[in-house]
Amino acid sequence: MTRPLTEEKVFKDPVHNYIHVQDTVIWRLINTPEFQRLRRIRQLGTTYLTFHGAEHSRFSHSLGVYEITRRIISQFERAGYGDWIPEERLVTLCAALLHDLGHGPFSHSIEEAFEMNHEDWTCRIIQEDTAITEILREVSPDFPQKVASVICKTYEHDIVVNLVSSPLDADRMDYLLRDAYYTGVNYGTIDIDRILRVLRPYNGRVVVKESGMHAIEDYLMSRYQMYWQVYFHPVTRSSEIILRQIFRRAKELYTNGYPFRFMIEPLSDLFEDEISVRQYLLLDEALVQTAFMQWTREKDELLSDLCNRFIHRRLYKYVEMESLDMETIDEIRRCFREAGLHPEYDLEIDFPTDLPYDVFRPGEGFHGKQILLLDRQERLREISEVSDIVRSISGIHRGRYHLYVPQDKLMPLLPHLPGNVRAIFERL
Amino acid sequence: MTRPLTEEKVFKDPVHNYIHVQDTVIWRLINTPEFQRLRRIRQLGTTYLTFHGAEHSRFSHSLGVYEITRRIISQFERAGYGDWIPEERLVTLCAALLHDLGHGPFSHSIEEAFEMNHEDWTCRIIQEDTAITEILREVSPDFPQKVASVICKTYEHDIVVNLVSSPLDADRMDYLLRDAYYTGVNYGTIDIDRILRVLRPYNGRVVVKESGMHAIEDYLMSRYQMYWQVYFHPVTRSSEIILRQIFRRAKELYTNGYPFRFMIEPLSDLFEDEISVRQYLLLDEALVQTAFMQWTREKDELLSDLCNRFIHRRLYKYVEMESLDMETIDEIRRCFREAGLHPEYDLEIDFPTDLPYDVFRPGEGFHGKQILLLDRQERLREISEVSDIVRSISGIHRGRYHLYVPQDKLMPLLPHLPGNVRAIFERL
Amino acid sequence: MTRPLTEEKVFKDPVHNYIHVQDTVIWRLINTPEFQRLRRIRQLGTTYLTFHGAEHSRFSHSLGVYEITRRIISQFERAGYGDWIPEERLVTLCAALLHDLGHGPFSHSIEEAFEMNHEDWTCRIIQEDTAITEILREVSPDFPQKVASVICKTYEHDIVVNLVSSPLDADRMDYLLRDAYYTGVNYGTIDIDRILRVLRPYNGRVVVKESGMHAIEDYLMSRYQMYWQVYFHPVTRSSEIILRQIFRRAKELYTNGYPFRFMIEPLSDLFEDEISVRQYLLLDEALVQTAFMQWTREKDELLSDLCNRFIHRRLYKYVEMESLDMETIDEIRRCFREAGLHPEYDLEIDFPTDLPYDVFRPGEGFHGKQILLLDRQERLREISEVSDIVRSISGIHRGRYHLYVPQDKLMPLLPHLPGNVRAIFERL
Amino acid sequence: MTRPLTEEKVFKDPVHNYIHVQDTVIWRLINTPEFQRLRRIRQLGTTYLTFHGAEHSRFSHSLGVYEITRRIISQFERAGYGDWIPEERLVTLCAALLHDLGHGPFSHSIEEAFEMNHEDWTCRIIQEDTAITEILREVSPDFPQKVASVICKTYEHDIVVNLVSSPLDADRMDYLLRDAYYTGVNYGTIDIDRILRVLRPYNGRVVVKESGMHAIEDYLMSRYQMYWQVYFHPVTRSSEIILRQIFRRAKELYTNGYPFRFMIEPLSDLFEDEISVRQYLLLDEALVQTAFMQWTREKDELLSDLCNRFIHRRLYKYVEMESLDMETIDEIRRCFREAGLHPEYDLEIDFPTDLPYDVFRPGEGFHGKQILLLDRQERLREISEVSDIVRSISGIHRGRYHLYVPQDKLMPLLPHLPGNVRAIFERL
C-alpha cells in the first residue's frame, strides 16, 4: 500500500505544468468521493462575481499544494539535509493533499453563518469511516490520526507541521500563484523555483537561507497586493455579505417553522446544527446555488430578494468612511428602520484587515508564524529584522469602513432621511 | 440607449487582459439574469474531469468573443475599409456577446439526449420577452429580431453574419485561446494580434490578406491539436457518455411513471418535452449536479449507479479498435445481455471525427465555411489552394472506434464470455 | 513629410508584441545610421556578464519607449482629454524614439570615465547635421531644436516634457518590462495596460487617477526589486569597475605617450577629449570589445590584465562591510601598496544607492519627480501621502559598502598583511 | 575533478528559468575563455536585423542545450532504464555543453565564404591545448578525445551520440524555444516537459513512447513554422547575402594585394586560409563588425558600399519567382553587366529549402535522422508511418526563387533594361 506506483501518473496543471503522483496512496486518495467533492467547491468562493476567471476549485488547489510539498521534500532529500526525516514523507504529502478536505460551499461565509470550522471537518472526514479513512488505515491503523494531527498542528514532529502550515507553506504559495493565474491579475507571480531552492529544514522548522531574502520580500509584497486587489475587493465583500445574510435569513425562517417551498436534506440538518459527516459531504456549491435559485421564488420577501441578488448579481453598493462611531451607526439604523428598511439586512458594516506579515516582537520567541533567515554562521533571524521592506509593510494597517446597502431600495427613500445620514449615502 | 458609456468599463480577463465595454447596451445586457446564467454553465462541459483546470464558464467565453469582435471592428474602422458598414457595429457586438445565450447545462450531451438545439434557444431568449429582449427593444423595436437573425445566419448583410460565424470567427479564436489557458495545454496559443491585423472585410465576407497565410496555418494547426488533445480526449468522451445515459435513463423512468425521490420543476418540464423559455432559464449545471447527487440514492440501480459514476468520477474505460463491423457489435451485445449486463447502458461505441478545415471543392463556389486569401492583385483564393500544410491536414481523417464499458462490472464476467469477445476486452 | 504611412508598419517585439509605426517621419528616423547604431549598444551594459540573457540593445528599448508613448497619446486622444494638445503628437513621439540616441558603448562607465553626458550627445546628434537632423528639418526648420528641447526639458509645453521624462514615463515602463524579460527575473512584470488606463494629462503634467493607486504601488515595488536584484547586482558592479579602470588606464597611458600595439581613430579622439559628432557615432560596443581584445596582448601589464579580466570574465570579488571609515580605507591602501599591489586599480569601494521613489517634502511644491494622484474632486495629492506602502519604501536607504579586489592577486599576499586588514579580506 | 560541486550553482535563464550546474568540470568549462567567447557570437547571426529581439548569443544557447541534456539524463536515471549507461553522464554533458564551441562570427555565412566547418573547429578546440582541453584532460587523458568523438558521431556508444545529435536532440529543442522567446514569435512554444517525459533510451537510441506522439507532432509543426517564419525570412537571407559578399570581396582584394586602410591579424590569417586555433579564437562578431565599420571608409567602392549596407541596414530587396531557368539568369546577368552593374555582387539567387522532417524510406533501415515511436508491445515504428500529420508535412517542398538586388542601384537603370528583364524587377 505504501508502495510507489509502477509508473508515475501526471495531471496537466496550468500553474505547475504537471502534478506528479508517485505513490499508490496519493493516487487512491485523489479518486475518493470525498476528494472529488472538492471539484464542486470554488477556491475563491464568490470572487468569480468580481473576477470572472476565478472559477477554479479547491480540487485544483489541493493538487497544487500537494505538488509544491512534493517538490520541497524531494529537494530536501536530494540535498541530504540532516534535519529532514525521510520517513515522514508520506504523512506530509497526505496532509498537504487533504488539508482543505473539510471546506464547505462558499466556505468563509458558511463558517461565519453557522459557526463551524473547516479544519475540524477536515479532521473528522479523515478519521470517521470515509473512503479516505479506509485508504489511510491500510498504511497503518494509526495513520488517519497521524495525518489529522499534522493538520491540527499537534503532530509529534514540528518540521512536518511547519511544512504544512507556516507563513511560507505550500498552501500560500499555491494559492498566490493559482489565484493570480485564474483572476488574470499579475500581482501573484512569485519565483517559486527560487523560493524552493532557498528553503531548508532546520531545528524542526523550515527556514530560509539568507541569500534568498529578496525572493521572500517579493513573495510578501505579492501577498500584500493580492490581499488588497483580490481577496478584499469590495465587490467580493458585497457578495459575501449577501451570502451570509441568505444563510442567516433561511436559518431564522427554518427555526421559526416557515414552510419552505424548497428544502433539501443536508440543508435542514445544517439549520438544526446536527449535521453528520455523511450529510456534510453532500453539501457542495451546486446544492447551495440550486437552493438559492429555488428560493428566488419563496414567499418571504427578504429571502427571495437576497437570493435574487446573489443569483443575478445585483449586489449591495458601498460608501467608504475613514472613521465611524457607534453613535452614527445607531443613528443610521434608526433612520433605516423608520424609513421601512430592515437594518439587520439592509445595512452591513465591513472593515477588512489583514497584516501581510506579522513581525516578531522581542521576548516572544520564535513561533510558527514567522519567517526565519539562516545566515552562513547558522544564526537565525526573523526576516523583518533584516529586511527594511518587510518591516515597512508589516506595520501597515490599511482599512476603511465600508457601509454596504441595497442601493435600489435606499435611493427612493433618500430624500426622506435626515441630512447627516443622507449626506453619507448621497455618494452611492 | 445606443449612447456610449460616459466612461469605458473593463473586466479583468486572463486571456485578453481586459475586456472593454464602451456601450450602454452591452453593459446592460451583461447584467441581465439571462446573461449571468452563463456563469453557471461550463464552457467545456465535462472536460474538467480530464483537465482539472477547465472549470471556466460560458460567461467568460462570451465576454471574450465580444472583445475579439470589438477589436476586429475597431481595426476595420481605423483602416477605413470601404466594405465595412459602420452602422452595423452594435448589432454585430450584441450578436457576438449573446451567441451562446441558449446553451443548456452540459450542452452537447443534453442536446443529444433531448434533441434540442442551443441556437434555437438563443434566438428564443433574445426575442421572447426576457430582460434581454427588453433592452434590445429600446434600441429599436426590430432590434431583437435583427440580433437573432445574425445568429441564425439570415441577416441581410453577409459581412455581419460572416464576422459572427465563419471558420475564422471570434468564437473559435476565443475558445482556442481560452481552453488552452484553462486546461494548461499550450497547443492553442495563436498569435491573435497578427490574425486580427490581416483580416479584411471584402465583398460581404471577412477575408485574409495573403501576407497573413502563415498565421492562419498556425491557427489551423492549433485547432487540429486542440481537437485531438482536448476536445476528443477519451476520458472526456467517457464522461459525456455517462451523462447522456443518465439523461436517457431518467427520462425513460419518468415516462414510465417511476416515483423519483427527488424531482424538480424544470427537469420534469424537460422530460415532458414541453419546456418554456422561463423554465429553460432555470436550468443550469448546479441544478443538474444537484439532481444527480440526489439520484445517487435512487432505488433504480441503473440510475443510481450512473449518477455515482458521474459525481464521483468513476468513469467507463475503453478499448480502441481500428475497425469494427455490425456483426461484432451484435455479438458483443448478445454476450453482454447473456452475462446479465444491459448493453444499452453498459456498452457505448464512439467514433470521434472532425476535419480541422474543410477544403474547397471545385465547382462549389465560395461559401461561409472557407478561409479566403486576398492577394495584392485583389484575387481571392481558398487557403488550401495556396498552403501545402492546410491542404495536407484538411484531408486527414483520423479516428478509431472506442468501445466504452464499466470495467468494474465487466471484469468479473470476463472469464465467462466467448473467446473472441473476451479478447477484445482483455486489454482494458 | 508629416503624412502618415499609407500602410502601418510593424516590428515584432517580445515585450509589446508589435511596435506600430504610423508616421513616415518615424519610419525614416528608425532607418538612419544614427538610430541603427543603437543595435550595437547593449541596453544594460555589462549586465549580460551576470544575467546571460540580458543581451538586448538600446535599439529594442528605444522602439519600446516609442510604442508606449504612442499608446499613451492615442489613449489621451480617444478619451478627448482637454489638457492634451494633439498638435504635439509628432514632436513627442520623435523625442520618445530618440531620447537614448547619444548613449555611448557601456554608457554609464564611459560617461564616468570621460566625464561626458549622453543627453548632451543626444541633443547634438539631433541638431548637428546628421541624417536625423535632415529628416526632422523636413518637418519644419526648427523641428530638430524642438525635439532636442523636449529631451533637455526646456520645451515650451510641460505636458510633453513630462510625458517623456517623469517617474512614470514610457522610458521607465519599457525598461522594467524589457529588462525583466531578457534577464528572466520576474520582478519587473507590471500591468502596463492598467497603468496606461489610469494616466491623464492635467495642468501640464501626466497624473494618475486615484483608482489606479494600486497599479502604481506595484510598479514602484517592481522598480525597487529590479534595482536590488538586477541593476545593483554586485557582479555587474564588479564588471563596471573593471571597465572604468580599463578606460582610465588606457587614457593614462595614451596621455603619457605609451605606444599602443592597437589604436583606432575614435578612441584616440576620445582620449584627447576632442571627439566630434561624426567620430562619436563610430563608437560602439563592437569597437570597444575589439580594442579590449587586442589590448589583452599589450605590454602594459595593468592594461592587459584588466582587459583579460573583462573579456574572459575573471572579475573582481568583493567583501561587504556595514560601515567603513576613511581611516580604514587609507590603511588598506597603504598595505596594498606595500604588498606590491596598485591600490588605485586593485581596490575599489562601491556604495550602491537609489531611492525607488523620492517623496514629496512639504513646502517644495510639485515638481517633475513626483507621482500625483487625482481624485474625483479633482484634488492632486502626491502618492506617498496616500499610500502607506510607497511612504514605507521611499525612505529605505539600503546599501552597504562593497570592497572589490582581484582575489587571485590578493590571496597569495594575504598572510603578509596586518591582522585587521587581513580579517577584512579573509571572507573573500 | 569528476566530483560534484559542494553546492549546486545556477544561472538564471529566461527559457528554462534556471540552469543547474552540479559538476566541477562543467563549472570550470563554462569559465574558460573559449566558452566565454560564445557570448560574442549571436545565436541567429544576422536575424537581429529582421527580428530586433534576436540578439541572444551562442553562450545562452549552449547553456540551454546542456540543461535539457542534464534533465533528460536525470529522467533516464530516475526511471532506471536499462538501456542508459550511467557512466556516460559526464561525457554526454560535456559534449552537449561544448557542441557549438567552434562556431565563428556569423557562422553560416563565414563557413560558406571560407569553406570551413564549425564542427571541425569544435573538435580542434576541444583537443588542441586550450583551457578546455586542459580541464577535460584532468578527468582522464583520453577524455578530450572522447568528448570530441561524441560531437563527431564516432563515439563507441550510440546512445550518447544519439542524445547529442538527432532530430529530437537537446540542441533543436533549446533553439526552438529560445529563438521563439527572443524573436517574440510564438510558434516555437513546445511542451518540453511532456517531450522529456516520453523519451526513452532503447537499443542505442533515444526513442519516443507511443503515447507521446501528439507532443512530437506539435514539435515538428513548430519546427516547420519557425523555419518559414524566422530562419528563412527573406530579410535575414538578404543580410546573409551581403555578409557573404563582404567576405568574398575582402578576400578577393586581399589576394590581389589591395592596401586595406584597416586590417587586423586574425582576419588576414583567415584570408590566407592558414588560421590557427589560437587565431581562430580571436575571431568574434565584435571584431567582424569593427572591421566592417572601418571598411565603410575603404577606397574600394564595392567593399565600402557593401559594408555600409550591412552596418546601416540598407539591405538588398528581392523579387519572388515561381520558376527560373538558367537562360533567364544568364540574360539578367548580361543585362546587368551592360548597364554597368556587377552581376557577381549585384545579383544573388536564393532558393531556401528545408524538410521539417525526413521520412523513412522503406529499405533504408533506421538511422539517426528518424524519430521512432515505441509501442506497448515494444515495436519500433518511424513516426510518419503512424502520424498522418507528420507524413503530410514531411513531403512539403515549399520554396520559390528569390532574386536579391540593390534596389537603389538598379532602379535608375531599369528603363534601359530590355522588356523581359525589366518586367521581373518592376515588382521591386
Side-chain angles (χ1 to χ4, degrees), chain C residues 193-204:
Chain C
D193 284 2
R194 175 88 183 122
I195 294 178
L196 295 193
R197 282 178 55 77
V198 297
L199 296 184
R200 251 195 73 176
Y202 187 81
N203 272 351

Side-chain angles (χ1 to χ4, degrees), chain B residues 185-187 189-192 194 210 213-219 221 224-225 228-229 376 386-389 392-393 396-398 400 427, chain D residues 184-187 189-192 194 210 213-215 217-219 221 224-225 228-229 376 386-389 392-393 396-398 400 427:
Chain B
V185 309
N186 46 10
Y187 300 120
T189 47
I190 58 174
D191 186 350
I192 191 162
R194 175 88 182 123
E210 199 178 21
M213 189 181 76
H214 288 300
I216 307 302
E217 287 180 347
D218 186 57
Y219 159 83
M221 290 198 283
Y224 175 90
Q225 284 281 18
W228 290 104
Q229 298 300 301
R376 294 186 186 182
V386 189
S387 159
D388 304 88
I389 189 106
S392 301
I393 62 169
I396 296 180
H397 248 292
R398 179 150 51 177
R400 292 179 179 160
R427 287 173 293 151
Chain D
V185 310
N186 45 10
Y187 301 119
T189 46
I190 58 174
D191 186 352
I192 192 162
R194 175 87 181 124
E210 199 177 22
M213 189 182 75
H214 287 300
E217 286 181 347
D218 186 58
Y219 159 83
M221 290 199 283
Y224 175 89
Q225 284 282 20
W228 290 104
Q229 298 300 301
R376 295 187 185 182
V386 189
S387 159
D388 303 271
I389 188 104
S392 301
I393 62 168
I396 296 178
H397 247 292
R398 178 149 52 175
R400 291 177 179 162
R427 288 173 290 152

Side-chain angles (χ1 to χ4, degrees), chain A residues 214 221 225 229 389 392-393, chain C residues 214 218 221 229 389 392-393:
Chain A
H214 288 300
M221 290 199 282
Q225 284 281 20
Q229 298 299 300
I389 188 103
S392 299
I393 62 169
Chain C
H214 288 300
D218 187 56
M221 291 198 283
Q229 298 299 300
I389 188 105
S392 300
I393 62 169

Side-chain angles (χ1 to χ4, degrees), chain B residues 34-48:
Chain B
E34 292 82 11
F35 193 80
Q36 293 289 324
R37 184 187 73 111
L38 296 176
R39 292 186 187 269
R40 298 188 301 277
I41 296 188
R42 287 185 190 79
Q43 171 65 12
L44 286 182
T46 62
T47 301
Y48 71 97

